[in-house]
Amino acid sequence: MRVFILALATTFCAGTVSADQQAAEACKSKLSPIGQEIYAASLAQHPTEATGREIVKSEVEKLMAEGKISMSDARSEGQAAGDCLKLLK
């Protein structure tokens, strides 16, 4: 009986995570290529609610320094990538 309950709980939790991941992936697919790069680089750093904004900001600043994104596009691209990351709760 314990094994059944544990298996059921694990399945339920996995389904919830999967739904969040699916929503985030759907959001990511709508991003521009540079937005997808910001999203992927930020996700690789395992952002939390407390650190997510700073991680995205750091990635955007890095791309600006490399000349891959203009200052005028930086805010909107970072915001869009951050909105997708928020879906991962």
Side-chain angles (χ1 to χ4, degrees):
M1 183 70 174
R2 281 183 167 175
V3 174
F4 176 73
I5 292 172
L6 181 59
L8 184 62
T10 303
T11 302
F12 177 72
C13 291
T16 303
V17 171
S18 179
D20 291 344
Q21 287 177 333
Q22 287 176 349
E25 285 298 314
C27 180
K28 176 189 162 199
S29 71
K30 296 175 187 172
L31 295 174
S32 69
I34 202 74
Q36 290 182 7
E37 187 174 342
I38 294 166
Y39 174 90
S42 298
L43 184 60
Q45 296 182 43
H46 307 289
T48 63
E49 286 187 41
T51 63
R53 183 180 176 131
E54 288 303 314
I55 290 172
V56 170
K57 181 180 172 187
S58 172
E59 289 302 319
V60 169
E61 288 173 350
K62 184 172 109 179
L63 292 173
M64 285 175 38
E66 293 172 355
K68 291 184 176 182
I69 187 172
S70 68
M71 190 178 285
S72 61
D73 292 334
R75 184 180 192 107
S76 62
E77 295 290 344
Q79 182 67 46
D83 289 345
C84 293
L85 287 168
K86 286 179 187 176
L87 297 173
L88 290 172
K89 295 181 184 181

